[in-house]
């Protein structure tokens, strides 16, 4: 019951966060230099044509009218139309969402699968070669710029050895799964995996390094605590002590960080998307900003904001289940 | 679902992938996110739009002499005859083209960018077109003529059908023109000013022809129609919303839409009932990759057949590859530094000339652009109507520059060059070279201000010359191949993007635009170019090249107008 109230409160806060994002972004358009007409009309367009286009796009109406109209449309699920393409912003954004989620989740899976074992090994073998290896990897991972990493991975594993395609997303995960179940063919899944591997590693490596370090320090902290000594004194097997007690408590801050990082990744991994021509939300937002395509910018940020809110809600739910005291607080 | 260019997959490959994924991970390291933006602007700074091109191989052929204002013609020369393969139209030959940006829309009349043009031109056609050299040829018109001042007539081809099977009618052509130029059609086309002077179109009674009316003589009307105004089917357009038109295509061109994943991929297939020979290519796919290195990698790995805008630093990789080569051609885009005539020190012609003498243009072409550019000395590019062959680029002469600065009375001037970042090929590097060479003069100090393009362009297009910077780098593409379409907007007193005003120049251009004598018009425009060179309202910089990486399996040569025409592609024998 307490957990339910806690999550409801968090969800309501999330709605206000999204409204705040909408409002701030909406107001930003009026203080940001650059006019969307620059991109809609040719540079040599006459002032008459510019005004005509501005009128057609509703840009010549007062700010408050535009704002109220926008909020009213938003409540009906209408995010407006892209100034550049003339198509519904929501359609374009939601078309990009699967690619973004696939990449974000794949990078997170890469990170979690590698980092937690690495962090645990590193902590349990402190000052041994395994520890030095893991901390060295973490340092390298955190220090390496991912545009360089992405390009190097492509040059080595795609161009030199031909093990992976260089770029692009040829098939989505869900269509690949559908192909598996309807046609019994793994080709779609293999193609999807081939195309997502390098981008996921590129995006997930920093994340891996970060969580490895976090896990290592958390485990070291937990393993030094009194309850662990008591558990060992009671004669509990070491594996049980490490993985049931110490790791469980270590994972609480780790989950928080994973959730925050996943929220960030839903905002789009612009560099990785650019290097791998991955059609995600990140490049869509950047291109929209460069073109001052405000309906696309606003719509994208609403979706990203909602993504953050949802991920944080899930983290809170997980946190509450791991530590019920959180809900009571 | 899978890509034709993808390697075939298997369980064995799956295992190999899994193994190499683990190995790759072991070697990896990275940083957090962030943005690096693209290398190409997707828009264009011209009437036709266009990406900022990215370098080229030095393979400038002879410039074609083109006509910007022919007075009609009945030439039977067609695009197919000029540049297509045999158009056998049989068999399965798929081609993939990777541009820097995806098309923004599939509505041929609601955009202003070359990447979009490159897609829609395969499904839609105009009454006239241009061959690879820029020469005007017939397309949906068999004949075009001026019937009187302010009225030209296009006689239409027989037997042309839209992809939905319906016949092309004169009403469709008139509707298409009016959809662009008329204000009362419920649609505002950003191309309205590109059909300069055109006021409307109507069907000629009893003939398969359309009359186009202009405000005045309109000497560039044919040049405009050779570049702009794709023909759409009236009923098809009227039955659909703007959003539906933006995501579907129904033209008369050699390819029809098969599938469209907005912002990602467009797949076209050969239109078997095309009114000319069907294309050699059976399936045509357009992809986009913002990063030039990504496009080049795709090309070298056989994942694409044509990579647009190969930059100088990647040219050698393509050249040395066994699977692809470079195709390069001078484009229609000129890069220049505008100097506002109304502010000191740029109000002085001597000072402006000094700036031209200060710059080592040939050095910039060789060292900054790796030779992938041509130096210019006038706004009109070689091969354009009105180009003056007697005008040379300014040579670098620092002593002459310093002397002219003294003569101008502005010794000690401090100036700042504003440049967009990443909009044009090596724009910042060009600006830095210019600034450093001007700053090396003993009596002028020069700095640089790097600007976001939208912000800079906003200042230049607001109709008020005083809100723009005094001194800035910008590029201009002119797909009409006519000098007037560069000089009028950029250098006449009332130009939309002007930085200059000169009564003599205004008068020359006005005379050129009102005369019906083509030779006289050419002579007037050449005179205007000579005057511009002498008055130096710009620092004349370089002509950009269009450079493409092309797979060895495809036979195709680059065009001057930055357009990619897959109908002209064939399979290498």
């Amino acid at each position: 019951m307490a957990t339910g109230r806690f999550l409801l409160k968090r969800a309501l806060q999330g709605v206000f966060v999204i409204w705040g994002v909408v409002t701030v972004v909406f107001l930003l358009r009026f203080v940001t230099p650059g006019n969307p007409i620059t991109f809609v009309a040719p540079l040599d367009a006459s002032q008459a044509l510019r005004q005509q286009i501005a009128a057609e796009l509703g840009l010549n109406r007062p700010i408050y009218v535009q704002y109220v109209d926008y909020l009213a449309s938003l409540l009906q699920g209408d995010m407006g139309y892209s100034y550049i393409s003339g198509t519904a912003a929501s359609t374009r954004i939601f078309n990009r969402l699967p690619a973004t989620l696939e990449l974000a989740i794949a990078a997170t899976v890469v990170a979690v699968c590698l980092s937690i074992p690495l962090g645990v090994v590193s902590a349990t073998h402190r000052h041994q070669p395994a520890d030095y290896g893991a901390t060295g990897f973490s340092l390298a991972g955190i220090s390496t710029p991912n545009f360089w990493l992405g390009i190097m991975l492509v040059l080595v594993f795609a161009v030199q050895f031909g093990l992976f395609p260089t770029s692009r997303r040829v098939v989505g995960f869900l269509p690949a799964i559908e192909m598996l179940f309807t046609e019994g063919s793994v080709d779609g899944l293999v193609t999807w995996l081939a195309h997502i591997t390098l981008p996921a590693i590129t995006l997930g490596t920093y994340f891996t390094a970060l969580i490895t370090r976090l896990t290592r320090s958390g485990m070291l902290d937990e393993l030094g605590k009194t309850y662990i000594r008591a558990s060992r004194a009671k004669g509990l097997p070491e594996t049980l002590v490490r993985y049931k007690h110490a790791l469980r408590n270590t994972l609480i801050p780790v989950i928080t960080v994973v959730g925050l990082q996943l929220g960030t990744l839903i905002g789009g991994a612009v560099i990785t998307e650019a290097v791998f021509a991955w059609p995600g939300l990140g490049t869509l937002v950047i291109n929209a900003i460069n073109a001052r395509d405000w309906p696309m910018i606003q719509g994208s940020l609403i979706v990203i904001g909602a993504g953050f809110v949802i991920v944080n809600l899930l983290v809170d739910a997980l946190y509450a289940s791991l530590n019920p005291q959180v809900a009571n607080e | 679902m899978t890509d034709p260019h993808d390697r075939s997959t298997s369980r064995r490959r799956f295992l190999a992938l899994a193994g190499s994924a683990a190995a790759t991970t072991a070697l990896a390291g990275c940083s957090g996110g962030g943005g690096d933006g693209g290398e190409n602007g997707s828009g264009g700074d011209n009437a036709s739009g266009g990406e900022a091109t990215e370098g080229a191989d030095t393979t400038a052929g002879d410039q074609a002499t083109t006509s910007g204002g022919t007075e009609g013609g009945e030439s039977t020369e067609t695009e197919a005859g000029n540049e297509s393969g045999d158009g056998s139209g049989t068999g399965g030959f798929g081609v993939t083209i990777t541009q820097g940006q995806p098309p923004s829309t599939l509505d041929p009349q609601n955009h202003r960018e070359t990447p979009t043009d490159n897609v829609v031109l395969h499904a839609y056609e105009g009454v006239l077109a241009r061959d690879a050299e820029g020469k005007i040829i017939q397309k949906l018109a068999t004949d075009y003529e001026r019937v009187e001042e302010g009225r030209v007539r296009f006689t239409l081809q027989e037997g042309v059908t839209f992809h939905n099977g319906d016949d092309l009618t004169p009403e469709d052509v008139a509707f298409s023109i009016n959809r662009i130029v008329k204000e009362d059609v419920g649609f505002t086309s950003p191309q309205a000013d590109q059909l300069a002077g055109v006021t409307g179109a109507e069907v000629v009674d009893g003939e398969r022809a359309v009359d186009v009316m202009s405000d005045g003589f309109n000497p560039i009307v044919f040049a405009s129609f050779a570049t702009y105004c794709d023909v759409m089917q009236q009923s098809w357009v009227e039955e659909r919303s703007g959003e539906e038109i933006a995501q579907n295509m129904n033209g008369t061109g050699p390819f029809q839409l098969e599938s469209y994943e907005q912002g990602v991929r467009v797949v076209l297939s050969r239109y078997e009932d095309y009114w000319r020979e069907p294309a050699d290519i059976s399936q045509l796919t357009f992809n986009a990759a913002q990063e030039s290195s990504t496009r080049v990698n795709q090309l070298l790995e056989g994942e694409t057949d044509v990579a647009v805008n190969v930059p100088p630093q990647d040219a050698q990789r393509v050249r040395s590859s066994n699977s692809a080569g470079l195709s390069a051609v001078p484009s229609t885009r000129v890069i220049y530094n505008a100097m506002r005539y109304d502010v000191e020190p740029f109000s002085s012609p001597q000072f402006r000339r000094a700036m031209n003498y200060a710059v080592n243009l040939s050095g910039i072409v060789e060292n900054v652009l790796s030779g992938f550019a041509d130096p210019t000395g006038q706004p009109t590019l070689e091969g354009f109507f009105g180009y003056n062959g007697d005008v040379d680029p300014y040579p670098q002469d620092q002593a002459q520059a310093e002397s002219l600065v003294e003569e101008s009375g502005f010794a000690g001037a401090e100036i700042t060059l504003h440049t967009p970042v990443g909009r044009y090929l090596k724009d910042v590097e060009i600006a830095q070279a210019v600034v450093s060479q001007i700053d090396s003069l003993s009596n002028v100090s020069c700095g640089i201000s790097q600007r976001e393009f939208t912000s800079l362009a906003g200042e230049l297009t607001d109709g008020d010359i005083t809100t723009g910077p005094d001194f800035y780098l910008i590029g201009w593409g002119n797909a009409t191949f006519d000098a007037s379409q560069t000089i009028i907007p950029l250098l006449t007193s009332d130009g939309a993007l002007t930085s200059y005003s000169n009564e003599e120049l205004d008068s020359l251009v006005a005379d050129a635009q009102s005369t019906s004598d083509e030779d006289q018009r050419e002579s007037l425009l050449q005179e205007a170019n000579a005057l511009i060179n002498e008055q130096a309202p710009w620092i004349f910089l370089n002509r950009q090249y269009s450079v493409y990486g092309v797979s060895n399996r495809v036979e195709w040569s680059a065009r001057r107008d930055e357009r990619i025409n897959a109908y002209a592609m064939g399979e290498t024998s």
Side-chain angles (χ1 to χ4, degrees), chain B residues 326-346:
Chain B
L326 285 179
S327 182
V329 71
S331 76
T332 60
R333 192 175 303 277
V334 62
I335 306 297
Y336 65 96
N337 292 152
M339 296 176 275
R340 259 175 58 190
Y341 81 103
D342 60 327
V343 292
E344 294 179 348
F346 303 114

Side-chain angles (χ1 to χ4, degrees), chain A residues 38 40-42 46-47 56 85 87-88 114 141 144 146 149 158 163 166-168 195 202 205-206 270 275 290 292, chain B residues 1 3 6 17 24-25 29-31 34 104 112 188 190 193 243 262-263 265 287 294 298 301 303 452 454 457 461:
Chain A
T38 302
V40 180
S46 62
Q47 291 307 310
E56 192 166 274
S85 69
T87 51
L114 285 174
T144 308
N146 74 346
L149 176 70
L163 294 169
T166 63
S167 54
R168 296 194 298 125
H195 280 86
T202 301
T205 304
Y206 169 83
V270 177
V275 169
N290 287 335
R292 304 292 191 273
Chain B
M1 276 322 286
D3 191 294
D6 263 23
L17 287 173
T24 309
T25 308
C30 82
S31 74
S104 61
R112 37 145 310 195
T188 303
D193 290 344
E243 193 172 10
Q262 198 173 15
R265 186 181 300 116
N287 290 320
T294 305
Q298 286 181 5
E301 287 304 292
E303 295 167 13
E452 194 237 358
T454 316
T461 57

Side-chain angles (χ1 to χ4, degrees), chain A residues 84-316:
Chain A
I84 307 296
S85 69
T87 51
S90 55
T91 307
R92 293 197 63 195
I93 292 160
F94 287 110
N95 283 348
R96 293 288 185 110
L97 209 50
T100 292
L101 290 174
E102 281 171 22
L103 185 56
I105 292 167
T108 305
V109 167
V110 165
V112 169
C113 290
L114 285 174
S115 61
I116 292 176
L118 269 175
V120 170
V121 166
S122 183
T124 53
H125 296 76
R126 197 176 178 192
H127 299 320
Q128 291 173 33
D131 182 27
Y132 295 135
T135 49
F137 169 80
S138 298
L139 191 64
I142 281 176
S143 309
T144 308
N146 74 346
F147 68 87
W148 180 87
L149 176 70
I151 290 167
M152 286 301 121
L153 291 179
V154 170
L155 289 176
V156 174
F157 293 97
V159 176
Q160 190 64 37
F161 295 120
L163 294 169
F164 297 97
T166 63
S167 54
R168 296 194 298 125
R169 174 180 178 262
V170 171
V171 62
F173 178 70
L174 291 179
I177 293 293
E178 191 183 348
M179 202 186 295
L180 179 67
F181 286 107
T182 56
E183 299 168 28
S185 166
V186 296
D187 283 1
L189 204 54
V190 173
T191 302
W192 176 81
L193 187 67
H195 280 86
I196 204 167
T197 301
L198 295 184
I201 291 169
T202 301
L203 194 58
T205 304
Y206 169 83
F207 199 10
T208 304
L210 185 74
I211 299 171
T212 300
R213 291 165 75 97
L214 197 66
T215 307
R216 180 181 180 275
S217 59
M219 276 292 280
L220 287 172
D221 192 40
E222 290 299 322
L223 289 169
K225 285 187 175 171
T226 314
Y227 78 93
I228 295 290
R229 282 205 300 277
S231 303
R232 283 173 177 153
K234 278 189 347 187
L236 284 179
E238 184 61 19
T239 48
L240 204 65
V241 171
R242 283 180 187 175
Y243 302 113
K244 185 170 190 301
H245 297 293
L247 181 60
R248 185 186 167 106
N249 287 329
T250 299
L251 285 180
I252 292 174
V254 169
I255 286 167
T256 307
V257 171
V258 169
L260 288 172
Q261 288 285 350
L262 185 60
T264 305
L265 295 184
I266 288 168
V270 177
I271 292 174
T272 305
E273 286 178 16
V275 169
F276 292 96
W278 193 264
L281 211 49
T283 42
L284 188 77
V285 177
I286 292 296
N287 290 337
I289 290 169
N290 287 335
R292 304 292 191 273
D293 193 349
W294 288 104
M296 294 297 297
I297 298 169
Q298 287 163 183
S300 301
L301 292 179
I302 290 165
V303 169
I304 291 165
F308 257 103
V309 167
I310 290 164
V311 167
N312 276 300
L313 264 176
L314 292 173
V315 169
D316 286 340

